[in-house]
Amino acid sequence: MYYRSNNIVVYLSPDYEGKLLLQHSLFFQQTLGMRVFICSINEKPPLLKFFFTKKQLKEKITPEKLREFTKSTIPAKALEHFSFRVKSGKRLPLLIRQSKKGGYEFLVVDKSNSKSALNIGELDKLIGHSYCPVMAIHKNHPITKIKKIVIPVDVTQSTKKKLLWATYFAKKYQARIIIVSALTLNLDIKRSLVYKNSEKIKSILSKRGIECEVQILHTPGQKKHEVILNFIQEENPDMVIIRTHQESNLKNTRIGNFVSELVHSCKIPVFTVNSFIPAIPDDFVHRL
């Protein structure tokens, strides 16, 4: 049985970038009514680095210091909905472990490639291996509303998990959904599998009372991620929801290039769902 914990976890460092991320966290707490767990990590440096630089090592973060830092950004009335967790170790394995055992709806991370944020490779691995959805946001892109959601469609991907989360956000925010796909082969649009799949998704969402439309971008010879990124830039939605798929390599740790490009190349929030995440029961959408 899938248990809806109504909690989210936000990974941040108590610095300037962290303050900007806290403002995004407050938006989700107030609009979704969730409890927010602020998570920070004291990373253990390699032994040689520790030996040569131990005098310059940063002061350890504690839950008390994390709470004091949060108080400087979050209003006092909202602070009661925030909890604090500090871990020690390597941040990527710790975050993956938290995603599995923490009981969170989703994990919020910074994708702006700042000093305290996960780097591109780490974020891709987290998205690919997380046991809960990952919301990748840009610290310099304020989230004030979610009224338009874009769902890129790939015929090779399963859609059930993605659509249930799309339903969740669309109903919570009264948002409109645009289903978009790039047809890069020289085919008739209405005879393509992409068109049939997109129309099927539209029908499912419409039956759930969600306003949605389909956009098939016929661009033979172009790269799919570039076509979709150009569309996102023109439409300027408030969120992208995408289902990931795993590209095979020796370590099996890379998400698909299409997903990676979308996550890192646009500043708007990108909500990712992968194959590790349990499907939400269909009946949950009827309770919204």
Side-chain angles (χ1 to χ4, degrees), residues 100-115:
K100 184 176 184 180
K101 298 181 179 179
Y104 305 114
E105 298 277 13
F106 56 90
L107 169 63
V108 179
V109 293
D110 182 4
K111 64 174 178 177
S112 56
N113 206 23
S114 60
K115 290 182 180 179

Side-chain angles (χ1 to χ4, degrees), residues 129-165:
H129 289 278
S130 176
Y131 289 84
C132 67
V134 175
M135 174 83 78
I137 62 179
H138 196 290
K139 63 181 177 62
N140 293 324
H141 184 81
I143 306 172
T144 58
K145 61 180 176 61
I146 296 179
K147 291 299 180 184
K148 186 193 299 185
I149 299 171
V150 163
I151 302 180
V153 172
D154 186 331
V155 295
T156 65
Q157 297 174 339
S158 170
T159 60
K160 182 177 180 180
K161 298 175 186 178
K162 177 169 59 180
L163 289 188
L164 285 168
W165 279 106

Side-chain angles (χ1 to χ4, degrees), residues 3 28 41 80 121 132 152 178 182 188 200 217 228 248 259 269 288:
Y3 172 65
F28 290 117
I41 296 172
E80 63 182 279
C132 67
I178 302 175
D188 179 79
K200 181 181 178 181
L217 310 176
I228 299 298
S248 61
V259 175
L288 293 175

Side-chain angles (χ1 to χ4, degrees), residues 45-271:
L47 187 60
L48 284 176
K49 186 175 180 180
F50 173 78
F51 179 77
F52 287 110
T53 63
K54 58 183 178 180
K55 290 184 179 180
Q56 290 82 31
L57 290 177
K58 293 181 180 179
E59 186 179 358
K60 282 192 175 183
I61 304 165
T62 64
E64 293 74 24
K65 290 178 181 178
L66 199 56
R67 182 181 179 85
E68 287 301 311
F69 168 77
T70 303
K71 284 173 64 176
S72 66
T73 302
I74 301 298
K77 288 184 178 179
L79 198 62
E80 63 182 279
H81 302 292
F82 285 72
S83 296
F84 306 93
R85 290 183 174 174
V86 176
K87 303 291 181 180
S88 295
K90 294 183 178 180
R91 60 185 179 180
L92 185 59
L94 281 171
L95 289 172
I96 293 174
R97 199 175 307 136
Q98 283 290 296
S99 74
K100 184 176 184 180
K101 298 181 179 179
Y104 305 114
E105 298 277 13
F106 56 90
L107 169 63
V108 179
V109 293
D110 182 4
K111 64 174 178 177
S112 56
N113 206 23
S114 60
K115 290 182 180 179
S116 58
L118 297 172
N119 61 43
I120 291 174
E122 287 177 320
L123 181 51
D124 282 356
K125 288 178 182 178
L126 178 61
I127 289 171
H129 289 278
S130 176
Y131 289 84
C132 67
V134 175
M135 174 83 78
I137 62 179
H138 196 290
K139 63 181 177 62
N140 293 324
H141 184 81
I143 306 172
T144 58
K145 61 180 176 61
I146 296 179
K147 291 299 180 184
K148 186 193 299 185
I149 299 171
V150 163
I151 302 180
V153 172
D154 186 331
V155 295
T156 65
Q157 297 174 339
S158 170
T159 60
K160 182 177 180 180
K161 298 175 186 178
K162 177 169 59 180
L163 289 188
L164 285 168
W165 279 106
T167 301
Y168 175 78
F169 285 114
K171 284 183 173 288
K172 282 289 187 179
Y173 292 112
Q174 298 297 300
R176 178 170 62 95
I177 287 179
I178 302 175
I179 303 157
V180 61
S181 190
L183 181 59
T184 55
L185 299 175
N186 194 15
L187 299 173
D188 179 79
I189 290 178
K190 292 192 175 181
R191 292 185 178 181
S192 68
L193 187 57
V194 163
Y195 176 80
K196 293 175 182 177
N197 198 23
S198 299
E199 286 294 324
K200 181 181 178 181
I201 293 171
K202 178 183 176 181
S203 176
I204 292 171
L205 291 173
S206 296
K207 288 177 181 178
R208 294 175 180 170
I210 297 169
E211 181 185 352
C212 57
E213 64 178 274
V214 171
Q215 292 278 358
I216 306 296
L217 310 176
H218 196 194
T219 53
Q222 295 188 38
K223 294 181 179 179
K224 287 186 178 182
H225 74 268
E226 292 178 353
V227 173
I228 299 298
L229 282 170
N230 288 336
F231 177 83
I232 290 172
Q233 186 174 1
E234 292 173 6
E235 282 291 330
N236 191 30
D238 304 302
M239 180 190 290
V240 172
I241 299 177
I242 192 164
R243 172 78 159 81
T244 73
H245 61 278
Q246 200 81 13
E247 286 186 355
S248 61
N249 66 1
L250 292 177
K251 293 185 179 180
N252 194 32
T253 54
R254 271 187 354 141
I255 60 174
N257 182 63
F258 177 79
V259 175
S260 181
E261 289 288 348
L262 257 62
V263 169
H264 298 292
S265 298
C266 63
K267 289 187 177 181
I268 66 170
V270 179
F271 189 87

